[in-house]
Amino acid sequence: MLEGNYQEFLETISEKIKKNQIFTDKLHTLVYGTDASFYRLLPKIVIKADNSDEVQFIIKEAYKRALPITFRAAGTSLSGQAISDSILLITSRKFTNFKLADDKSYISLEPALTGEQANNILKEFNKKIGPDPASINAAMIGGIAANNASGMCCGISQNSYKTLKSIKLIMADGTKLDTSSEKSKKRFRHQHKEFLENLKELASKTKHDKELKSLIERKFKIKNTCGYSLNALVDYEDEFDILSHLIIGSEGTLAFIEEVTYNTVEDYPNKASALIFFENIKDACNAVSKIKLAKDDGKIIVDAVELMDNKALKSVQDKEGMPSYLKEFDSEVTALLVETRANLKKDLKTQTKDIENILSEFKTVRPIKFTTKVEEYTLFWKIRKGLFPAVGAIRKIGTTVIIEDVAYPIESLAEATLELQSLFEKHGYHEALIFGHALEGNFHFVFTQDFNDQKEIKRYDEFMNDVTNSVAVKYQGSLKAEHGTGRNMAAFIELEWGKTAFDMMESIKNLFDPTGILNPGVIINHDKQAHLKNLKPLPATNDLVDTCIECGFCEPMCPSNAITFTPRHRIVANREISRLEVIGEQKEADELKEAYVYDGLETCATCSLCSTACPVGIDTGALTKYLRHERITPTQDKVATFIANNFSTTLSGMRVGLKSANFVHSLIGTSLMTGMTNNFRKLLGTPKWSATLPSGLSINEKFTNKASDKKIVYFPSCISRTMGQSSFSQEEKSLYDVTVEVLQKAGFEIVLPKALEELCCGMPFSSKGFTKQAEQKSTQLEKALLEVSNNGEYPILCDTSPCTKKMQESFISDIKIYEPIEFCLDYVVNELEFTKIDEPITIHTTCSSRKMGLHEKFIALAKLCSNEVIVPADVKCCGFAGDRGFNFPELNKSALSSLKEQTSGAKLAFSTSKTCEIGLSEESGLDYNSILYLVNRCSSSKI
């Protein structure tokens, strides 16, 4: 029970906001209240808002009661600006409408769209948004604008401040404003006349204060997100332009951002990057200054220059794909990652030559070599973007990784950087490394910190005081260049800006938010020790996830991100459970464990796509399997063992059940069947029935088989041996029969494993935590495949991608197992004649296929068969997760919420997993089938 105004607020908002969007319990407030920073506050109430009307209602009710409220988008912010001990309002993943101008010159975006989603919308037009933070795949538009996040290439010319066209806001009192609408501005003028007059007065006062104006102009010649965007007061005359640009970088302390309209920028198709190695950091910094001067003089075109000092290089030298020579460098070698872009290839070649000429006076450890190969420069940038989390992954468990974000005037870059390194040594941060956007004089430095010891906290404080004086006072730089002020620099704003500018910032805060309810303690904070308070613990919980620093990069990949927990949430929860157990609070730990079951265990798809987005490859799906295993009872274990030992009987039972369901469906029809089974589900908790549910199937193992020198072992998965076509499907043949047709058409002699009905890869067991039974079935299958393939002499095909991936992970031997995509490209395509169809098709790459690196290959195979291939940009894991889609269909529905819209226009649909295809068909209205159906349809024998 909440106290006073909070309880009244809760009761009021519960009348209009769905109860499953409001959280007050410890588990949900903890996990939803955690962001990527090293600070933590526990909110009293967390609310997920789906749209601006809900936000307006919530803000008005908080305003009435003077209750502090903080806004959160993706929570990838690093400075503590997205946490609260009061009300935390999160923009849900439904807050994602957009509108693109006819000429593509601007795009309007709601706050929960990620930067990647925005760029995917613009990609086909060779456009993008200007801001490009390293977290762009996860960071949402609301946060990108609220923090004025920049990044690798946008510098200060294409950030949110410079590319803002208009903005929609909800002010502290709940008033809405759309700066693109004359009607809205007129209404606002009438309602907030005094506010606008005071705002214009602040701007006029600033413009007439020559010293302050000069300071502002100088400070914003380099990247600066420390404090408010005071440049708005001198850059603009119109009060709405001033207002909207003050919002940029205000970190939710002035208003809620309902929508941002960006002027789009060109995204040139031709790119080249070079990783250039200098003997030391001083030479690298001097080279940066030379490049910057040449760029400003128009002598070269360079889009980005990223510096990685020696310790940064060492932190990634063992990563997959990195050149081996990194290990041979001495302790001073520093790298610059340089990128240039052009519309035409010939221009790109000229630009790379110009850059090489500019740098010819510098001695490099290796010759300068630009690459235009996508896979090569993508690796360079992936490594650069993953430096921060990579450092966090090698920290001592229990310590925190801290990233600071400063900018120096370019003329002082070398001297200031050397001084920064000397401060590392002075305070004993010997592991600290430097990397960042050198072209803008913007460096990040990363180090690990123990906040469990007062001596260590004192050391951190002394270090930060030295750093802030060096950056802000001695070199007149920015204490925050792009990560936002947050809590860790709020105490140092006056040090950087001086009293006059700080007082102006305080006046802005008081004007916009007179009651002080919007994100208190952020940007304006009079507590000089604020950066040392509310520090977040990172206790050990499980070796599988202990390296996580809670950055949130994983969240967009997670199929449960819109309904329950994400990988980050699951790790946060488990850390708290472990912490409570260590300190002896077992009762509270057990309560959290029970509260965790649905959100953490039941609705985790264990697809492990989170590991593909995680810079250090953390697989939270593996944690879920581990935790499911811990909950297995002796009775459940015995049942699983019985099933494993009597697998053919189990499959026979499945066939009977599927045939029975389809028979009843044929008698009573879809509508009545749906209603009846839904009622059973509500009353008895039975699995969901769907019209896309396949009928039972028994395969014919004794087909006519022609002898051939080309032998292929075909292992039909237990799913394709059991499930045929549904009444919904347009196809009559089973996947098994189609696969046999394709193989025989291509001239293969097919060999099936012996005792086929008993064989299974083990996935149905492992996904539920039955590790012993999974290993039993996997070992049995491996032995059978080794025997029938003559120890791997013949290629082995499995018709289902998830099963293939499971075999690859579980088998001890090095036999090669193929799934349909790679097998067709490697063995079938050259044996058959392909004729493309004119019908537009769509494909879904399963999680397993993505993890096997087959997404692009799937697209290539599809394009051999059709002139138009639709690939839904926002659909990752389908959330069906084997049989989980039957028991928790809400996971599948949520994961595929955008599928129908993004596959609009497609006539045929294909994937490589039968169970995934059930859910995909259900949510799209299309008949999804294996890609082998399309290959069979589009191909003919060459003979």
Side-chain angles (χ1 to χ4, degrees), residues 13-287:
I13 65 166
S14 296
E15 295 173 6
K16 291 189 178 180
I17 308 297
K18 294 176 184 175
K19 284 185 170 52
N20 64 359
Q21 294 175 221
I22 305 171
F23 308 91
T24 58
D25 64 287
K26 181 173 179 179
L27 178 64
H28 289 86
T29 53
L30 170 72
V31 300
Y32 290 140
T34 299
D35 71 357
S37 74
F38 54 92
Y39 297 98
R40 168 168 290 154
L41 292 172
L42 190 65
K44 293 179 177 64
I45 304 172
V46 175
I47 312 162
K48 289 186 178 181
D50 288 341
N51 54 61
S52 64
D53 289 339
E54 289 186 353
V55 173
Q56 183 183 38
F57 170 62
I58 292 164
I59 292 176
K60 282 183 175 181
E61 294 305 319
Y63 182 76
K64 285 179 188 177
R65 298 165 181 83
L67 297 177
I69 184 167
T70 295
F71 309 128
R72 161 84 65 82
T76 56
S77 51
L78 296 163
S79 302
Q81 57 268 67
I83 59 176
S84 171
D85 59 1
S86 180
I87 300 166
L88 182 67
L89 190 154
I90 300 175
T91 53
S92 86
R93 292 179 184 269
K94 294 180 181 179
F95 216 148
T96 53
N97 291 325
F98 69 90
K99 183 179 180 182
L100 181 60
D102 291 340
D103 63 358
K104 316 305 182 280
S105 63
Y106 62 87
I107 186 168
S108 301
L109 303 160
E110 286 193 334
L113 282 158
T114 66
E116 180 187 42
Q117 287 176 305
N119 284 337
N120 282 339
I121 295 165
L122 295 166
K123 188 174 183 179
E124 64 177 297
F125 311 110
N126 288 328
K127 296 277 190 177
K128 62 177 182 174
I129 60 172
D132 61 341
S135 58
I136 194 167
N137 291 356
M140 293 177 180
I141 294 300
I144 289 172
N147 289 288
N148 197 21
S150 47
M152 315 290 181
C153 301
C154 79
I156 58 173
S157 61
Q158 293 183 347
N159 59 19
S160 292
Y161 183 92
K162 289 293 179 68
T163 58
L164 181 69
K165 180 177 176 62
S166 64
I167 196 164
K168 288 184 181 179
L169 303 169
I170 304 175
M171 309 298 283
D173 62 357
T175 301
K176 285 191 175 187
L177 170 64
D178 178 1
T179 65
S180 70
S181 165
E182 290 302 322
K183 183 179 179 181
S184 176
K185 289 192 289 187
K186 183 179 180 180
R187 183 169 58 246
F188 192 86
R189 280 193 186 97
H190 176 72
Q191 295 173 338
H192 293 78
K193 180 181 179 183
E194 185 179 351
F195 170 91
L196 291 175
E197 288 174 349
N198 288 336
L199 182 60
K200 292 200 77 171
E201 176 60 27
L202 288 179
S204 176
K205 184 178 178 182
T206 304
K207 291 183 178 79
H208 287 91
D209 186 331
K210 292 184 179 179
E211 187 176 339
L212 178 57
K213 182 182 178 184
S214 176
L215 173 66
I216 292 169
E217 289 173 342
R218 175 172 59 79
K219 295 287 288 178
F220 285 104
K221 283 183 179 177
I222 61 174
K223 280 187 177 182
N224 195 321
T225 60
C226 193
Y228 290 116
S229 300
L230 293 183
N231 45 339
L233 300 176
V234 298
D235 288 346
Y236 297 98
E237 294 295 332
D238 178 80
E239 61 265 47
F240 289 104
D241 284 335
I242 296 170
L243 187 158
S244 59
H245 286 84
L246 278 172
I247 295 299
I248 301 298
S250 64
E251 302 173 28
T253 64
L254 302 183
F256 175 85
I257 298 174
E258 174 188 340
E259 181 185 273
V260 179
T261 299
Y262 283 121
N263 291 310
T264 57
V265 301
E266 295 295 326
D267 185 20
Y268 293 121
N270 298 297
K271 305 173 184 179
S273 294
L275 202 53
I276 306 170
F277 300 97
F278 296 83
E279 290 185 333
N280 52 60
I281 199 166
K282 183 178 180 181
D283 287 354
C285 288
N286 286 332

Side-chain angles (χ1 to χ4, degrees), residues 272-276 278 291 300-306 336-340 355 359 370-371 380-381:
S273 294
L275 202 53
I276 306 170
F278 296 83
I291 294 171
I300 62 169
I301 296 174
V302 61
D303 290 271
V305 179
E306 296 289 308
L336 293 182
L337 175 53
V338 180
E339 179 166 292
T340 182
I355 296 170
L359 295 176
F370 277 89
T371 179
F380 292 161
W381 285 102

Side-chain angles (χ1 to χ4, degrees), residues 438-505:
L439 194 64
E440 304 300 331
N442 173 202
F443 284 151
H444 307 311
F445 56 95
V446 181
F447 56 98
T448 57
Q449 175 66 46
D450 188 351
F451 285 131
N452 300 307
D453 186 316
Q454 283 302 317
K455 288 182 180 179
E456 283 294 293
I457 294 174
K458 185 173 183 292
R459 177 170 73 117
Y460 171 71
D461 188 30
E462 291 170 349
F463 171 64
M464 288 304 297
N465 277 286
D466 275 357
V467 168
T468 53
N469 274 285
S470 174
V471 175
V473 180
K474 183 174 181 179
Y475 293 104
Q476 296 292 291
S478 309
L479 291 175
K480 281 294 179 184
E482 60 178 8
H483 291 171
T485 310
R487 297 174 186 276
N488 66 332
M489 280 301 168
F492 300 99
I493 290 179
E494 190 170 346
L495 175 73
E496 175 174 332
W497 281 94
K499 188 173 187 335
T500 302
F502 181 75
D503 287 347
M504 180 59 69
M505 291 184 188

Side-chain angles (χ1 to χ4, degrees), residues 323-337:
S324 59
Y325 55 72
L326 288 184
K327 299 178 182 179
E328 303 167 6
F329 291 153
D330 65 30
S331 61
E332 295 296 322
V333 171
T334 301
L336 293 182
L337 175 53

Side-chain angles (χ1 to χ4, degrees), residues 75 117 133 227 263 286 329 346 372 391 466 502 522 719 754 773 798 809 843 852 919:
Q117 287 176 305
N263 291 310
N286 286 332
F329 291 153
K346 65 180 182 66
T372 57
V391 174
D466 275 357
F502 181 75
V522 171
I719 292 296
K754 297 175 183 176
Q773 294 83 356
C798 176
E809 291 171 345
I843 61 172
M852 288 187 282

Side-chain angles (χ1 to χ4, degrees), residues 698-916:
S698 296
I699 65 171
N700 174 24
E701 295 184 42
K702 297 182 179 180
F703 50 83
T704 303
N705 203 7
K706 292 183 180 179
S708 171
D709 293 336
K710 296 188 298 181
K711 288 185 171 61
I712 175 73
V713 174
Y714 172 32
F715 171 60
S717 70
C718 55
I719 292 296
S720 59
R721 302 197 307 267
T722 310
M723 292 184 174
Q725 300 306 105
S726 70
S727 58
F728 174 82
S729 181
Q730 301 165 14
E731 300 287 350
E732 295 181 0
K733 295 178 182 177
S734 71
L735 172 58
Y736 173 81
D737 290 335
V738 167
T739 304
V740 169
E741 280 188 26
V742 170
L743 293 174
Q744 290 186 332
K745 196 190 301 183
F748 285 99
E749 179 183 341
I750 302 168
V751 183
L752 297 176
K754 297 175 183 176
L756 184 60
E757 278 295 89
E758 287 296 333
L759 299 181
C760 170
C761 68
M763 179 174 286
F765 299 95
S766 67
S767 64
K768 296 176 180 63
F770 295 102
T771 53
K772 179 180 66 178
Q773 294 83 356
E775 185 177 347
Q776 173 189 335
K777 299 308 293 182
S778 175
T779 301
Q780 180 186 20
L781 176 59
E782 183 176 14
K783 183 179 178 181
L785 291 178
L786 280 168
E787 179 184 350
V788 76
S789 68
N790 198 19
N791 287 317
E793 178 183 348
Y794 314 137
I796 302 169
L797 167 67
C798 176
D799 53 25
T800 306
S801 294
C803 299
T804 305
K805 182 74 168 95
K806 179 66 173 67
M807 287 185 271
Q808 291 177 356
E809 291 171 345
S810 303
F811 285 2
I812 298 172
S813 61
D814 58 359
I815 56 172
K816 173 74 174 177
I817 313 292
Y818 287 90
E819 52 66 69
I821 300 165
E822 194 170 23
F823 180 80
C824 285
L825 290 173
D826 288 359
Y827 286 94
V828 174
V829 167
N830 291 332
E831 302 294 332
L832 300 173
E833 295 284 351
F834 277 76
T835 304
K836 291 184 180 183
I837 61 174
D838 288 329
E839 293 171 285
I841 70 167
T842 185
I843 61 172
H844 172 76
T845 309
T846 67
C847 311
S848 302
S849 300
R850 286 181 184 273
K851 287 182 286 184
M852 288 187 282
L854 298 177
H855 180 57
E856 296 301 326
K857 289 187 176 182
F858 195 3
I859 295 172
L861 178 60
K863 287 184 175 179
L864 287 175
C865 301
S866 174
N867 290 313
E868 185 179 351
V869 179
I870 299 169
V871 184
D874 294 331
V875 178
K876 305 295 192 301
C877 172
C878 72
F880 205 85
D883 62 356
R884 201 150 292 267
F886 296 123
N887 295 304
F888 302 96
E890 64 272 26
L891 176 61
N892 176 234
K893 189 175 188 67
S894 179
L896 298 181
S897 59
S898 64
L899 179 65
K900 195 164 191 175
E901 180 183 355
Q902 295 196 7
T903 55
S904 175
K907 300 298 182 184
L908 301 170
F910 302 97
S911 189
T912 55
S913 169
K914 189 71 175 179
T915 52
C916 295

